[in-house]
Amino acid sequence: MIGRRDAIRLIGGGGLSLGLGACGFTPARPEPAGGRLRVAVAVSSTADTMDPARQTVVSDFCRCAMVYDGLTRLDARSRPQFALAEAIESQDSRDWSIRLRRGVRFHDGSPLTAADVVYSLNRHLDPAVGSKARIFAQQFASVRADGPDHVRLVLESANSDLPTILGISQFQIVRDGTRDFRHPVGTGPMRMVEFAPGVRSLAVRWPDYWRRKVRLGEIELFSISDDSARINALLSGDVDLIHAINPRIAHHLEHAGFDLLVTRSGGYTNLIARLDRGPTSHPDFVAGLKLLLDRETMRNAIFRGYATIGNDQPIAPTNPYFDPSVPQRAFDPDRARHHFARAGMIGARLPIVTSAAADKSDDMAVLIQNAGRRAGVRFDIRRVPSDGYWTNSWMKVPLGFGNVNARPTADIIFTQFFASDAPWNESGWKNARFDSLLRAARGETDEARRKSLYGEMQHLVHDQAGIGIPLFLSSLDAHNPRVKGLRPMPQGGLMGFDFAADAWMEGA
């Protein structure tokens, strides 16, 4: 058996030391009733937010899930379950009636009302809010109160996925009129008492939580971006739960007595070639680039089997709308060379931007670089810091990487990332046929026809978009065995970032 000291030596040569005070650790305090759960995630910055409409990274998702609830929440099969809504009904998938759960109160004691829901949903339409869900809110024709605990939501056109869309995290409900999120007030399982963006947060149990009795006393959350430092913090007992561990160390942690939380999901790290600028815009260059993805080696050597082979389109094989007729693209540097020659790129030298923020993009780029030499193109790897990557590099450089969490429906991921007007259209791909199919699929109630529409869309993305998706990744978290109640959720690691109401500490 490998002990903790052995594991430290294995992962970092024992050279990293985290004294209290580093990375946001606080001096020891008496443990509250229910215990204190200390959580370290990999990504955080001064742009961290408690505005649910603007949440973007793991630290945002975790904190907002502690403090807020949505009208619906997604279960272990990504199906919508009622949360702050008790019923959501429609006869035509366009005109929806929402009945709110009674007796729910915000952390300041005020009751949940229809006015809170109307305000929360309508604020996504204000460009000044900067909502990451605005693309979905633009489907709202009107949202209005229909009594103290009823809301009527009318869509511009039919969308049978509305209950699922209302379960995505950005649609969590805030109090009517809220504009200052430095001291957030929600209906969730924890009440935020300290929040320093890019540093740490401290949340305490909300004793009147409507869904269940919360067992944890406190949750302290901060970021440790360095993989080895994050694992060392777990090994040394400075933290109890860490997100996104390196697959290479997973078995060592298990042998050292820690528990793994393995989540199979539709999330991925993807190669992005911008189609609207520079040499990466040539269709033959993009076709050649996708042939340089050695998916088997990436899965086995980089992710140690914790991944499923992808095929350059975002619908995972576990999704009911996955289309197996899309031809599996193979690793073929010789054929890539043929495409690069047609693009006039033989002998070219291009930068490829990587960052720890895009999980394992450094390692993936090395494999692409090696394959590129065989295909006649030299790729120069430019590593940039994770802090600021999503603002300064992502979707801005001609050739780089993205990192996409799983989405519960085909409509959501196609709308957010592949529609011509998508807010995160990573490669700048625009296709009128794709947009038309997306609108048709939303209102289609015949499941066979809907599956056919989504299938054609997968073919279009596979053939034309500037996106290479080599693998669908499993999320790996690790925790102290005292931490109980965690289980995999397909929305992502850390129970889909929504662990606060379910986790508990043994012996606390």
Side-chain angles (χ1 to χ4, degrees), residues 294-352:
D294 187 348
R295 302 164 205 269
E296 295 281 349
T297 300
M298 288 180 182
R299 180 184 62 182
N300 299 332
I302 300 175
F303 293 96
R304 302 299 171 106
Y306 291 108
T308 303
I309 296 292
N311 194 22
D312 305 330
Q313 60 81 22
I315 307 302
T318 53
N319 189 297
Y321 294 114
F322 172 74
D323 186 346
S325 73
V326 180
Q328 178 64 54
R329 185 169 278 121
F331 173 59
D332 192 341
D334 294 332
R335 193 164 153 232
R337 186 180 183 92
H338 163 75
H339 284 288
F340 290 154
R342 291 181 56 169
M345 295 293 288
I346 296 297
R349 187 170 184 168
L350 291 175
I352 181 169

Side-chain angles (χ1 to χ4, degrees), residues 481-484 504-508:
R482 282 187 66 206
V483 182
K484 305 294 184 184
W504 52 281
M505 300 292 287
E506 188 176 56

Side-chain angles (χ1 to χ4, degrees), residues 72-81 161 163-165 167-168 264-266 318-320 406-410 412 488-492 496:
T72 61
R73 61 196 312 272
L74 304 177
D75 67 11
R77 298 178 64 184
S78 293
R79 298 171 304 191
Q81 304 295 326
D161 279 345
T164 304
I165 290 172
I168 64 177
R264 290 189 64 190
S265 79
T318 53
N319 189 297
R407 263 51 179 185
T409 70
I412 289 174
M489 296 292 282
Q491 293 81 30

Side-chain angles (χ1 to χ4, degrees), residues 140-160:
F140 301 167
S142 65
V143 184
R144 63 177 176 80
D146 196 16
D149 54 5
H150 280 75
V151 173
R152 185 179 178 192
L153 195 163
V154 180
L155 299 175
E156 294 284 357
S157 59
N159 190 339
S160 55

Side-chain angles (χ1 to χ4, degrees), residues 107-422:
H107 298 156
D108 64 355
S110 59
L112 172 74
T113 68
D116 301 312
V117 175
V118 171
Y119 174 77
S120 297
L121 297 183
N122 277 333
R123 67 187 294 267
H124 293 274
L125 291 166
D126 181 356
V129 169
S131 170
K132 307 305 180 186
R134 188 164 185 258
I135 189 72
F136 299 109
Q138 287 173 328
Q139 297 177 37
F140 301 167
S142 65
V143 184
R144 63 177 176 80
D146 196 16
D149 54 5
H150 280 75
V151 173
R152 185 179 178 192
L153 195 163
V154 180
L155 299 175
E156 294 284 357
S157 59
N159 190 339
S160 55
D161 279 345
L162 180 69
T164 304
I165 290 172
L166 293 176
I168 64 177
S169 51
Q170 285 85 4
F171 282 119
Q172 290 160 342
I173 302 303
V174 302
R175 204 175 43 179
D176 183 19
T178 301
R179 291 180 176 79
D180 184 351
F181 291 91
R182 291 175 297 178
H183 305 287
V185 176
T187 61
M190 309 296 287
R191 181 172 61 85
M192 193 64 69
V193 294
E194 293 181 33
F195 171 51
V199 182
R200 69 185 282 270
S201 64
L202 180 65
V204 300
R205 174 171 53 200
W206 174 236
D208 296 328
Y209 187 46
W210 60 272
R211 186 158 65 90
R212 66 174 56 174
K213 177 178 172 58
V214 180
R215 299 181 66 172
L216 286 173
E218 290 182 358
I219 300 176
E220 184 177 6
L221 187 143
F222 39 83
S223 169
I224 305 175
S225 60
D226 182 86
D227 279 355
S228 295
R230 199 163 58 255
I231 292 171
N232 270 344
L234 178 70
L235 293 169
S236 65
D238 283 330
V239 300
D240 306 295
L241 170 63
I242 59 174
H243 177 54
I245 66 169
N246 190 327
R248 293 171 181 162
I249 202 67
H251 292 301
H252 297 308
L253 284 174
E254 282 189 304
H255 291 161
F258 293 90
D259 292 338
L260 296 183
L261 178 63
V262 182
T263 304
R264 290 189 64 190
S265 79
Y268 52 80
T269 296
N270 56 308
L271 180 63
I272 302 169
R274 291 294 303 188
L275 301 178
D276 53 359
R277 65 195 67 167
T280 58
S281 62
H282 197 291
D284 269 295
F285 175 78
V286 175
L289 195 62
K290 294 177 182 178
L291 292 166
L292 298 183
L293 298 177
D294 187 348
R295 302 164 205 269
E296 295 281 349
T297 300
M298 288 180 182
R299 180 184 62 182
N300 299 332
I302 300 175
F303 293 96
R304 302 299 171 106
Y306 291 108
T308 303
I309 296 292
N311 194 22
D312 305 330
Q313 60 81 22
I315 307 302
T318 53
N319 189 297
Y321 294 114
F322 172 74
D323 186 346
S325 73
V326 180
Q328 178 64 54
R329 185 169 278 121
F331 173 59
D332 192 341
D334 294 332
R335 193 164 153 232
R337 186 180 183 92
H338 163 75
H339 284 288
F340 290 154
R342 291 181 56 169
M345 295 293 288
I346 296 297
R349 187 170 184 168
L350 291 175
I352 181 169
V353 177
T354 69
S355 171
D359 191 24
K360 299 294 175 291
S361 58
D362 289 346
D363 295 333
M364 295 166 72
V366 170
L367 291 178
I368 294 169
Q369 184 182 54
N370 292 336
R373 292 194 187 99
R374 293 172 56 185
V377 174
R378 178 169 176 171
F379 295 100
D380 295 327
I381 298 174
R382 291 186 183 174
R383 296 180 176 88
V384 301
S386 57
D387 190 7
Y389 177 76
W390 301 111
T391 302
N392 302 322
S393 300
W394 179 54
M395 300 204 312
K396 291 184 171 61
V397 299
L399 194 57
F401 286 87
N403 195 204
V404 177
N405 293 324
R407 263 51 179 185
T409 70
D411 176 70
I412 289 174
I413 195 159
F414 281 146
T415 300
Q416 285 186 307
F417 289 89
F418 294 94
S420 296
D421 61 350

Side-chain angles (χ1 to χ4, degrees), residues 11-72:
I11 63 173
L16 288 168
S17 177
L18 292 174
L20 291 176
C23 305
F25 293 126
T26 54
R29 293 177 286 113
E31 187 160 288
R36 176 184 303 115
L37 179 66
R38 295 162 300 173
V39 184
V41 298
V43 178
S44 180
S45 76
T46 54
D48 287 355
T49 182
M50 285 305 304
D51 181 348
R54 299 177 60 199
Q55 55 186 306
T56 307
V57 297
V58 170
S59 51
D60 296 340
F61 293 134
C62 291
R63 289 178 176 128
C64 286
M66 295 177 202
V67 173
Y68 305 107
D69 290 301
L71 293 169
T72 61

